[in-house]
Amino acid sequence: MAKFVVNPSSPAQYDAWRKGVVPEVERVGPGLWSVPVPIPINPLRYVLVYVLELPGGVAIVDAGWNTDEAYDALVAGLGVAGHGIADVRAVLVTHIHPDHYGLAGRVREASGAWIGLHPADAALIRERYDDEVVDSLVRREREMLARSGVPGETVDELAGASMSIRHLVSAVRPDRLIEDGDRLDLPGWDLRALWTPGHSPGHLCFVSPSRRLLFSGDHVLAKITPIVAVHPQSRPNPLADYLDSLAAVRKLDVEEVLPAHEYRFRDLTGRVDHVTAHHEERLAEVEQVVGAATGGLTCWEAATRLTWSRPWETFQAFARRAATNETLAHLVWLAERGRVACVPGEPERWHLAGR
Ligand SMILES: [Zn+2]
Ligand SMILES: [Zn+2]
C-alpha cells in the first residue's frame, strides 16, 4: 500500500511520541489543553485527555485508566492549565474502553461532574464490568471463539484474556446519554456529538464547527488503526459500521484532528482515505486466503494465515483473540457482500461464495 504520512500539528508532541516518551501538557488553542495520562502495560503508553475551559470550570474529553498514577497525572495536568480536579463540570467519554472510561467515576467523585456516554456503550457496562454478571460475557466469548475454530485448549485462555484489566475501570453509570447529533451544553463551545460505531458500538466523536476541530477518540488516529472486531458485545457487522463512520467524519470541514492516542494532526481526509484503503486491502487478502483453502477454513485458520505486523507465534492471548475477532469482522463483511459464505457448525467454516 502506498505510504501516507500525516502532518502532525504539534512538532513537540510528535517528537515525544517518536522518542517513546510521554509528551508535555500543551495548550492546543484558546481555552483548550491536551493532557497526556499514562496507561500501564500498553504500547500506546498514554491517552490524551482534552481539557475545554468553560466560564466556571472545565469539561474533559476522556479520562484515563483507573490507576493512582493516571489520576495524579490528570490532576497535575489540570494544574498546569490553571485548574483543579474540583473544577471539572463534565466528562465526555468517547467510548467505554478502560483507557477512556476507567477514571471517569473517580473524577465525578472528586468534582461532581456529569459523565456523558452514548447509549450503545452505556448498555454494555454492566455485563462487562460488574462482577456478578461478567461470567456470562466470558461464556459467550468462549462459545464464539469455539465457533471460530479456536483450538480447545486455547479457548479458555483467550476468552479470559481481558479479565486482568477489569479493575482498571470503575463500573459507574453515566449521568447523561449523548445521542448522534446532540449539541453539548458547554458554554463557549459549539460542540456536537457524532456517533461513529465500529471500534466500539457507541463510539462518539465530538466536532467543533467554529474551531474546525475533531475530537476523534480512537476512531481516527495518526498512525495505527483501531481494532474493529466481532465479539459478544459488538454489533453484527462492525466493519461496515466502521467504514460508514469513516465516511461520516470525512465529510466534516476539519482543520485539526485531536485523537486520544499518539499525536494530533492535520489532513483528516488523507488519513481517512488511507485507513479505508487499508481495510479494502485486508478484505482482499482475507478473500484470497479463503479462496486458497480447498474445502474452506475456520476463522482461526484464516487468522493464522494472514500477514500481521509481527509473527503470529509471538502473539499473546489478548492479541490472538483480537486478531481472530478482527478476521471474523472481515469475513462477516465479505459474507454480507456475497463474496464468501459461511457453513454453520461447530466450528463454522468459510468458503468462497458459490463454491
Ligand atoms: Zn478503544
Ligand atoms: Zn484507546
Side-chain angles (χ1 to χ4, degrees), residues 168-190:
L168 298 172
V169 180
S170 60
V172 297
R173 304 302 189 262
D175 306 283
R176 297 189 193 179
L177 297 178
I178 303 174
E179 303 270 3
D180 185 40
D182 279 1
R183 289 183 67 98
L184 281 311
D185 164 32
L186 302 173
W189 289 86
D190 60 344

Side-chain angles (χ1 to χ4, degrees), residues 100-340:
H100 303 257
Y101 195 62
L103 206 50
R106 196 157 160 188
V107 173
R108 179 170 66 187
E109 247 170 64
S111 63
W114 57 266
I115 299 172
L117 197 58
H118 188 274
D121 264 25
L124 308 180
I125 292 172
R126 181 162 186 272
E127 188 183 35
R128 191 177 281 231
Y129 298 125
D130 276 9
D131 289 332
E132 319 89 74
V133 283
V134 74
D135 286 350
S136 84
L137 182 61
V138 175
R139 181 174 42 75
R140 294 203 292 136
E141 182 78 60
R142 202 186 292 126
E143 286 165 3
M144 199 160 157
L145 292 166
R147 218 177 304 132
S148 286
V150 175
E153 67 280 6
T154 319
V155 166
D156 282 339
E157 189 195 355
L158 262 59
S162 303
M163 289 302 105
S164 62
I165 57 169
R166 285 178 58 249
H167 68 280
L168 298 172
V169 180
S170 60
V172 297
R173 304 302 189 262
D175 306 283
R176 297 189 193 179
L177 297 178
I178 303 174
E179 303 270 3
D180 185 40
D182 279 1
R183 289 183 67 98
L184 281 311
D185 164 32
L186 302 173
W189 289 86
D190 60 344
L191 220 55
R192 190 166 58 74
L194 183 66
W195 181 42
T196 48
H199 174 59
S200 182
H203 192 288
L204 287 170
C205 290
F206 301 102
V207 194
S208 167
S210 66
R211 296 188 183 217
R212 300 177 66 213
L213 294 175
L214 175 69
F215 297 88
S216 65
D218 281 358
H219 181 51
V220 188
L221 299 159
K223 233 10 222 186
I224 54 164
T225 56
I227 293 176
V228 177
V230 174
H231 57 81
Q233 290 194 323
S234 72
R235 283 157 49 91
N237 189 345
L239 185 56
D241 289 342
Y242 182 67
L243 294 173
D244 286 349
S245 297
L246 282 181
V249 295
R250 197 187 187 285
K251 288 192 204 127
L252 300 169
D253 176 24
V254 161
E255 163 90 33
E256 189 175 18
V257 182
L258 308 177
H261 301 287
E262 301 177 327
Y263 48 90
R264 57 186 192 271
F265 60 95
R266 298 196 179 89
D267 194 6
L268 171 66
T269 54
R271 182 59 187 152
V272 164
D273 290 346
H274 188 74
V275 175
T276 306
H278 159 80
H279 283 289
E280 278 162 6
E281 223 167 78
R282 198 60 167 168
L283 285 161
E285 190 189 359
V286 172
E287 189 174 8
Q288 191 253 320
V289 162
V290 172
T294 38
L297 79 183
T298 67
C299 174
W300 170 263
E301 286 165 346
T304 60
R305 290 173 201 189
L306 293 169
T307 45
W308 298 97
S309 56
R310 290 181 289 120
W312 176 264
E313 296 69 40
T314 65
F315 278 16
Q316 302 287 314
F318 183 81
R320 285 187 179 207
R321 184 177 80 187
T324 305
N325 291 346
E326 260 191 300
T327 304
L328 187 54
H330 287 78
L331 287 166
V332 165
W333 190 97
L334 289 166
E336 200 148 286
R337 296 294 162 110
R339 284 160 60 176
V340 303

Side-chain angles (χ1 to χ4, degrees), residues 20-49:
V21 298
V22 176
E24 302 286 319
V25 174
E26 281 186 355
R27 185 177 171 277
V28 178
L32 177 61
W33 297 79
S34 155
V35 176
V37 171
I39 49 182
I41 48 164
N42 188 309
L44 290 173
R45 297 197 304 278
Y46 54 87
V47 61
L48 295 168
V49 173

Side-chain angles (χ1 to χ4, degrees), residues 69-84:
E69 192 195 2
Y71 185 77
D72 293 347
L74 179 59
V75 172
L78 283 165
V80 173
H83 304 279

